[in-house]
Amino acid sequence: MVVELRGERPPPDPMALLLAGQRSAIRICIRDPRWTWIVTEALVSTADEVATGQRTLLSATDAVPPGSAVIADLGSTVLSVPTEPAPAG
């Protein structure tokens, strides 16, 4: 599962989701390589994962893109599957 973070002030915290993936042996990784300053490179998506992995969004409850399917309501954040195309790069 390739997680994109939506929100700027502050961005959603993906740590609990990443840890849950590690504990359950499900590959969950962050799409944005800038997160290597806070997580290890092992938790950042590779180019192949970005190209072929299941794209999900972690966003504030009020920032879920229209048409996205919410798969988990986590209180102040929501995990969803977007209908919009992935950003380039």
Side-chain angles (χ1 to χ4, degrees):
M1 181 170 29
V2 177
V3 178
E4 293 178 24
L5 303 176
R6 292 286 176 98
E8 299 296 324
R9 297 178 188 94
D13 185 354
M15 296 309 294
L17 187 60
L18 294 169
L19 289 173
Q22 284 187 319
R23 290 180 180 150
S24 62
I26 296 172
R27 175 70 173 146
I28 299 176
C29 52
I30 300 294
R31 184 177 195 273
D32 188 343
R34 293 178 292 180
W35 274 78
T36 54
W37 70 274
I38 210 165
V39 300
T40 67
E41 285 187 28
L43 294 174
V44 174
S45 305
T46 65
D48 185 53
E49 288 170 326
V50 169
T52 62
Q54 172 62 55
R55 182 173 169 239
T56 59
L57 302 176
L58 187 63
S59 57
T61 54
D62 61 352
V64 177
S68 295
V70 173
I71 55 176
D73 183 342
L74 307 170
S76 61
T77 58
V78 171
L79 185 65
S80 64
V81 176
T83 56
E84 67 204 29

